[in-house]
Amino acid sequence: MDIDYFARKQAPDTSPSAIAVRILDELLRWRRRPDNRDDHASVRHHHLPRLQKAIECAAPLTFLLPAFPAKSPNPRKVLGNLPDTAERIALTFLNDLCQRIGEYHKPGARVLLCSDGHVFADTIRVADATVAQYQVQLREMAREIAPSSIEVVNLHDALPAEHADIGFEQARAYLMKHYGKSADDTRAQYMADEVGRAHYRAITRFMFEDGLTPDYNGSRNALQVDSRQRAIEVIRRSQAWGNLLDQAYPGTLRLSIHPQAPASPKFGIHLSDCVDTWLTPWHAVAVDVGGQFRLMKREDVERAGGRVVHVDGRPSHFVIEHARCQGESR
């Protein structure tokens, strides 16, 4: 009996192409997609070559994720201004994902988490000081949960070294001057197809919801008009931010919190195992439902009788008897 033959037959394929398939299979479990079509074959066609090329370098895979800007300014949605259990769940999920990828790709994987609150602060109407506090706490949480898997960077980290010490307003001005498009060009681009229009409507909805704070005294119609205008600016800033990140961190694999088409260079991904939610940690609260956490808007949890849990003297999450994994409608 040729024992070596059977050993060879049973040994897993460790070629870059085979490893890329296994890693993409893991990512596909958590993919955010724009609709319910079964388009995994198309995703594989576009993303496997990118993964395989990165694997062939025999270095740790670096995933770049622009996200975690700041907590929503609407207290009906969140517990406060600082990271809480909602962020902890997301960071733990990303760390676990990196660990699983490391089982296939021996050099390992890490996430470069680009906290972008200072990119959008004036547009989303969150003070830069509040964003800075959020980022400090987020970095501390990431160091605690995933010291080798997650690195938190921000706008100033990505700027050219000679501009790293400029103020927040100057940093945004530099970003848009050197990496941004005009509002008219951005609007024309996003209104040209249904995918772009859907993204614009989603951002408009977030702007509208965040603006419906308890102290808002204007009309809903006025807020809707304002939200549409700010949505274009958010998209414009997001594009410029992406262009800067491409320059600052070349060779990274791009993730996104937004659904992405199969041919997009970005891969849309959820931030927890609750894959039917459209909520993010900074637009929701974590809710313990029978030992499993879900994301919900604060007002929905309170309406259902949820109880706030404090950790180290700060509100952390809710506990509720019965709920389902709720997300925002499209």
Side-chain angles (χ1 to χ4, degrees):
M1 180 181 296
D2 188 349
I3 297 177
D4 289 341
Y5 169 78
F6 286 103
R8 289 194 299 271
K9 291 289 287 184
Q10 295 174 0
D13 187 347
T14 57
S15 66
S17 60
I19 293 172
V21 168
R22 290 195 284 271
I23 292 175
L24 187 56
D25 283 345
E26 180 67 38
L27 292 172
L28 284 170
R29 294 175 60 196
W30 317 111
R31 177 177 172 238
R32 283 187 194 265
R33 50 186 178 175
D35 50 47
N36 292 321
R37 288 179 295 178
D38 183 6
D39 56 359
H40 282 186
S42 183
V43 175
R44 292 178 190 279
H45 174 74
H46 290 285
H47 284 275
L48 276 175
R50 297 187 182 101
L51 266 174
Q52 182 173 335
K53 183 179 178 181
I55 291 165
E56 288 171 349
C57 295
L61 300 181
T62 300
F63 295 94
L64 187 148
L65 176 62
F68 296 82
K71 287 290 195 181
S72 166
N74 190 343
R76 292 190 174 106
K77 298 173 74 172
V78 296
L79 272 170
N81 294 330
L82 298 176
D84 51 38
T85 298
E87 278 82 2
R88 181 173 293 277
I89 291 169
L91 294 179
T92 301
F93 174 83
L94 291 172
N95 179 60
D96 290 346
L97 180 62
C98 288
Q99 300 305 313
R100 289 194 297 272
I101 290 173
E103 295 176 5
Y104 307 124
H105 180 60
K106 295 306 179 184
R110 69 187 188 109
V111 174
L112 197 62
L113 201 162
C114 304
S115 179
D116 44 19
H118 292 304
V119 174
F120 306 105
D122 56 330
T123 303
I124 62 175
R125 295 173 182 165
V126 177
D128 281 305
T130 301
V131 172
Q133 292 174 341
Y134 178 87
Q135 290 181 351
V136 167
Q137 294 292 321
L138 187 67
R139 276 196 171 106
E140 291 182 0
M141 189 179 286
R143 282 195 292 266
E144 173 195 343
I145 295 170
S148 61
S149 300
I150 300 176
E151 179 184 357
V152 178
V153 298
N154 60 23
L155 173 58
H156 282 79
D157 295 320
L159 288 174
E162 61 270 25
H163 300 287
D165 294 327
I166 60 179
F168 298 122
E169 289 291 345
Q170 293 93 329
R172 285 189 283 269
Y174 180 91
L175 171 71
M176 299 313 297
K177 178 181 178 180
H178 294 277
Y179 300 95
K181 295 180 179 179
S182 70
D184 288 341
D185 287 346
T186 302
R187 184 178 288 104
Q189 174 189 351
Y190 270 74
M191 296 305 164
D193 59 62
E194 182 52 36
V195 173
R197 290 191 292 270
H199 184 66
Y200 163 74
R201 289 193 295 268
I203 300 298
T204 299
R205 184 180 71 246
F206 279 123
M207 295 294 99
F208 181 80
E209 291 179 349
D210 282 359
L212 277 178
T213 59
D215 58 354
Y216 176 71
N217 296 317
S219 69
R220 294 177 68 90
N221 184 63
L223 181 58
Q224 186 68 40
V225 171
D226 175 67
S227 299
R228 293 193 190 105
Q229 294 173 342
R230 289 191 292 132
I232 289 295
E233 183 61 19
V234 166
I235 293 170
R236 181 171 170 254
R237 302 264 184 106
S238 180
Q239 287 184 323
W241 178 228
N243 292 336
L244 171 58
L245 292 175
D246 286 342
Q247 177 181 294
Y249 305 106
T252 55
L253 299 163
R254 288 293 302 271
L255 300 177
S256 173
I257 62 166
H258 302 293
Q260 299 292 325
S264 171
K266 304 174 186 177
F267 189 96
I269 193 166
H270 287 273
L271 297 178
S272 75
D273 58 6
C274 187
V275 296
D276 61 342
T277 181
W278 284 64
L279 290 167
T280 62
W282 49 96
H283 279 105
V285 297
V287 188
D288 182 348
V289 186
Q292 293 186 328
F293 278 101
R294 298 290 183 260
L295 292 179
M296 296 173 63
K297 295 177 185 176
R298 177 178 180 172
E299 62 181 357
D300 292 335
V301 183
E302 291 178 336
R303 193 177 298 119
R307 173 176 57 84
V308 177
V309 175
H310 288 73
V311 175
D312 296 329
R314 281 170 41 191
S316 170
H317 61 279
F318 280 87
V319 174
I320 195 171
E321 294 299 326
H322 300 288
R324 59 186 177 88
C325 185
Q326 297 182 357
E328 298 191 13
S329 62
R330 300 187 190 186

